[in-house]
Amino acid sequence: CTGEKRRIIIPPHLGYGEEGRGKIPGSAVLVFDIHVVDFHNPSDSVSITVNYKPSNCTVLSKKGDYLKYHYNASLLDGTLLDSTHSLGKTYNIVLGSGQVVVGMDMGLQDMCVGERRRVVIPPHLGYGEEGVEGEVPGSAVLVFDIELLELVSGLPEGYMFVWNGEVSPNLFEEIDQNHDGEVLLEEFSEYIRAQVDSGKGKLAPGFDFEKIVKNMFTNQDRDGNSKVTAEEFKLKDQEAKEEHDEL
């Protein structure tokens, strides 16, 4: 079992025989002193044990949510690998965005703020056979004791910005502040920031504002000339409708 130590003595006919191999002489009796650190089955999935769940547990974490949590990470034999408590700060991720190993993304699903759980991650859903040099041994089963401290709801899948109310029918004209028929990145960025600051719009939490806005602008700049015209400008639901109509 995990943590067990034993000595195994192997006679030649169950080892390398009369010929031996490499540095092992022929007819050698082999003595192995073994310490089992952990073990796993390649078909294993993530194991989740809930240690505490608040009485009010209606909002559950899902893909796209921005999470802040504490964790202690160890091996199955109890060897401590890492702890956010020792760093004095939480670990923050956007769930399902590939910022952590697959097993952790799975282990943080359907969790509510204040909940504490133990997540056991097999190697193929963790750091694999190679591990992380100097930090995580190869083929390691990882044990995470997690406490979720904060959850900011994400946006629907595929969206990086949504409106909290009705969209202005003159949206392009509002963004085009100098009314020259073209919107530059600076104008676009300034307008989006104003909508977020006023609560009229919401950006996907946990991502860099400038990167999101630049990506949104690039999607609108269909001819790649660093300017967006009224003909190019389309909301996401308009694009989806046009694609549906074409099909």
Side-chain angles (χ1 to χ4, degrees):
C1 63
T2 301
E4 183 176 347
K5 297 179 180 180
R6 61 170 59 171
R7 170 166 287 190
I8 300 176
I9 300 175
I10 303 176
H13 65 284
L14 296 176
Y16 293 100
E18 295 181 4
E19 295 181 359
R21 180 183 298 177
K23 295 182 179 180
I24 300 175
S27 300
V29 176
L30 306 176
V31 180
F32 285 86
D33 289 305
I34 296 174
H35 177 203
V36 179
V37 176
D38 57 42
F39 57 84
H40 72 284
N41 187 310
S43 64
D44 287 346
S45 185
V46 169
S47 171
I48 298 174
T49 303
V50 177
N51 296 322
Y52 172 76
K53 181 172 288 191
S55 56
N56 181 13
C57 191
T58 55
V59 179
L60 301 179
S61 58
K62 63 185 184 307
K63 184 177 180 180
D65 289 347
Y66 182 58
L67 308 181
K68 294 184 179 182
Y69 61 94
H70 270 309
Y71 72 80
N72 289 323
S74 61
L75 300 177
L76 276 180
D77 68 347
T79 301
L80 184 65
L81 297 176
D82 190 20
S83 173
T84 56
H85 295 281
S86 62
L87 298 175
K89 59 182 181 180
T90 59
Y91 201 77
N92 310 328
I93 68 161
V94 176
L95 190 58
S97 65
Q99 296 175 344
V100 290
V101 295
V102 175
M104 180 59 86
D105 264 334
M106 297 168 65
L108 287 167
Q109 292 276 354
D110 300 320
M111 195 172 184
C112 63
V113 174
E115 182 177 340
R116 295 193 294 268
R117 58 173 57 170
R118 170 165 285 194
V119 178
V120 180
I121 303 174
H124 60 283
L125 296 175
Y127 292 103
E129 295 182 6
E130 295 184 359
V132 179
E133 186 175 355
E135 297 181 32
V136 181
S139 298
V141 177
L142 306 175
V143 180
F144 284 88
D145 290 302
I146 301 168
E147 180 181 7
L148 183 59
L149 300 179
E150 186 176 334
L151 184 159
V152 179
S153 295
L155 304 185
E157 189 167 358
Y159 286 81
M160 296 302 285
F161 174 86
V162 295
W163 296 93
N164 289 328
E166 294 294 324
V167 181
S168 170
N170 303 311
L171 184 57
F172 182 82
E173 289 75 12
E174 290 182 7
I175 301 175
D176 182 22
Q177 296 179 11
N178 60 4
H179 307 296
D180 63 353
E182 297 175 335
V183 171
L184 303 179
L185 176 59
E186 292 76 13
E187 290 177 286
F188 188 80
S189 178
E190 183 178 336
Y191 183 83
I192 295 298
R193 186 179 290 279
Q195 306 314 300
V196 173
D197 290 344
S198 66
K200 295 179 180 178
K202 179 181 178 181
L203 287 173
F207 293 100
D208 180 73
F209 173 85
E210 299 298 337
K211 288 182 179 179
I212 291 180
V213 171
K214 187 173 182 180
N215 184 55
M216 292 169 61
F217 181 84
T218 301
N219 289 339
Q220 296 292 333
D221 181 20
R222 301 170 200 283
D223 60 7
N225 67 348
S226 301
K227 301 175 183 179
V228 176
T229 63
E231 290 73 26
E232 291 177 292
F233 188 78
K234 292 182 179 65
L235 296 176
K236 196 171 183 68
D237 57 349
Q238 291 174 320
E239 294 176 336
K241 182 178 184 302
E242 289 178 2
E243 290 174 4
H244 177 74
D245 290 344
E246 289 175 2
L247 290 174

